[in-house]
């Protein structure tokens, strides 16, 4: 079955960096775009970034553009989110979610990993 | 950005009674291919979001038929015909027509 497992979250000081990973299984990873979506504590969902199946196209939310970088390693079935210059407002659970191109949304989500930016 | 506005934000419902959630977009969600990319997600307490409905009215596999979606253009609705205890959670609409993709604020469904 389709599985997406995030890891790499933790507590980090403002201005520092963190890299999240999303390990995929149960489907042909290299055929799908993957998104990052985040949810601040007690808040709603915010789309963060997406990378196309081949890594050639990437899109970012204005709130993270220039600070976050999405990438993937199709040989390892893994998605990454490099987060630099972290701010308190980046505190959230980060989910990876599989892109469904024909429907322009996500079908499967991971369980999320919590990032806390605090001094 | 396409701003998605849901109402109500809180919805207490009696078991077995119907529930309806509205979602309005600041822009038409009709894409250049003629399709409308409006989805609904359910997030139960402590869980990840789960897709219920895509392209306005298509139910995902395994989603009970008491859930239905409707609407067009900028106005959309999620209806639950008879609320059950397992339906408690927060429901989000999401548009995939315009970049960036955007979500509504969420509607919290609880049992009275």
């Amino acid at each position: 079955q389709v599985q997406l497992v995030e890891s790499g979250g933790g507590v980090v000081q403002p201005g520092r960096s963190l890299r999240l990973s999303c390990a995929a299984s149960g489907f042909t990873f290299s055929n799908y775009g993957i998104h990052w979506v985040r949810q601040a504590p007690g808040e709603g969902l915010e789309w963060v970034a997406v990378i196309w199946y081949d890594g050639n196209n990437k899109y970012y939310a204005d709130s993270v553009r220039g600070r976050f970088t999405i990438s993937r390693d199709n040989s390892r079935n893994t998605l990454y989110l490099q987060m630099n210059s972290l701010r308190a407002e980046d505190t959230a659970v980060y989910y990876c979610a599989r892109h469904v191109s024909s429907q322009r949304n996500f079908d499967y989500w991971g369980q999320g990993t919590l990032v806390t930016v605090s001094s | 950005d396409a701003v998605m506005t849901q109402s109500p934000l809180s919805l207490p419902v009696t078991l077995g009674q119907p529930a309806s959630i509205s979602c309005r977009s600041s822009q038409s969600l009709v894409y250049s291919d003629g399709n409308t990319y409006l989805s609904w997600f359910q997030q139960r307490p402590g869980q990840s979001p789960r897709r219920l409905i895509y392209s306005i009215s298509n139910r995902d596999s395994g989603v009970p038929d008491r859930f239905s979606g409707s609407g067009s253009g900028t106005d959309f609705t999620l209806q639950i015909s008879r609320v059950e205890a397992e339906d408690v959670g927060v429901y989000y609409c999401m548009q995939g027509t315009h970049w960036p993709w955007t979500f509504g604020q969420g509607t919290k469904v609880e049992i009275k």
Side-chain angles (χ1 to χ4, degrees):
Chain A
Q1 72 280 22
V2 173
Q3 277 202 309
L4 298 166
V5 179
E6 303 91 338
S7 62
V11 180
V12 60
Q13 293 179 328
R16 303 298 291 263
S17 299
L18 201 62
R19 188 178 83 157
L20 305 183
S21 299
C22 168
S25 60
F27 65 101
T28 304
F29 183 69
S30 59
N31 286 350
Y32 287 85
I34 308 288
H35 298 254
W36 287 102
V37 178
R38 68 183 181 183
Q39 186 171 36
E43 302 295 325
L45 300 168
E46 179 189 15
W47 174 80
V48 173
V50 61
I51 185 168
W52 254 221
Y53 68 99
D54 57 4
N56 284 343
N57 288 290
K58 307 172 186 180
Y59 298 94
Y60 298 93
D62 287 347
S63 57
V64 307
R65 187 177 295 114
R67 300 187 299 122
F68 289 12
T69 301
I70 189 171
S71 62
R72 65 191 295 157
D73 184 342
N74 285 346
S75 68
R76 296 177 183 270
N77 291 345
T78 303
L79 171 78
Y80 302 101
L81 185 68
Q82 177 66 43
M83 305 185 294
N84 298 333
S85 303
L86 282 162
R87 306 167 179 166
E89 54 264 36
D90 295 319
T91 294
V93 174
Y94 285 73
Y95 298 98
C96 56
R98 192 175 77 165
H99 177 84
V100 186
S101 58
S102 61
Q103 299 157 8
R104 293 181 67 86
N105 57 29
F106 335 99
D107 55 358
Y108 290 94
W109 297 61
Q111 86 290 345
T113 187
L114 176 62
V115 173
T116 302
V117 184
S118 173
S119 53
Chain B
D1 297 2
V3 177
M4 307 298 289
T5 303
Q6 290 183 226
S7 63
L9 299 185
S10 178
L11 185 56
V13 186
T14 301
L15 285 173
Q17 292 300 302
S20 180
I21 300 171
S22 170
C23 174
R24 290 187 171 175
S25 173
S26 62
Q27 305 175 33
S28 172
L29 297 186
V30 179
Y31 191 55
S32 55
D33 63 6
N35 293 315
T36 300
Y37 295 107
L38 187 283
S39 304
W40 290 95
F41 294 86
Q42 174 195 61
Q43 189 174 31
R44 290 171 170 153
Q47 295 187 13
S48 303
R50 164 200 181 196
R51 194 179 68 178
L52 298 177
I53 303 275
Y54 62 92
S55 299
I56 303 178
S57 58
N58 295 278
R59 256 190 322 272
D60 269 274
S61 174
V63 174
D65 61 7
R66 64 179 180 273
F67 290 93
S68 63
S70 62
S72 64
T74 60
D75 289 345
F76 305 92
T77 302
L78 176 70
Q79 292 186 309
I80 311 174
S81 58
R82 296 173 304 279
V83 171
E84 299 190 3
E86 66 178 15
D87 300 335
V88 165
V90 181
Y91 292 78
Y92 297 92
C93 60
M94 189 215 78
Q95 65 83 20
T97 296
H98 306 286
W99 288 108
W101 293 1
T102 48
F103 293 89
Q105 317 97 301
T107 295
K108 186 174 184 178
V109 172
E110 57 185 12
I111 304 301
K112 280 183 183 175

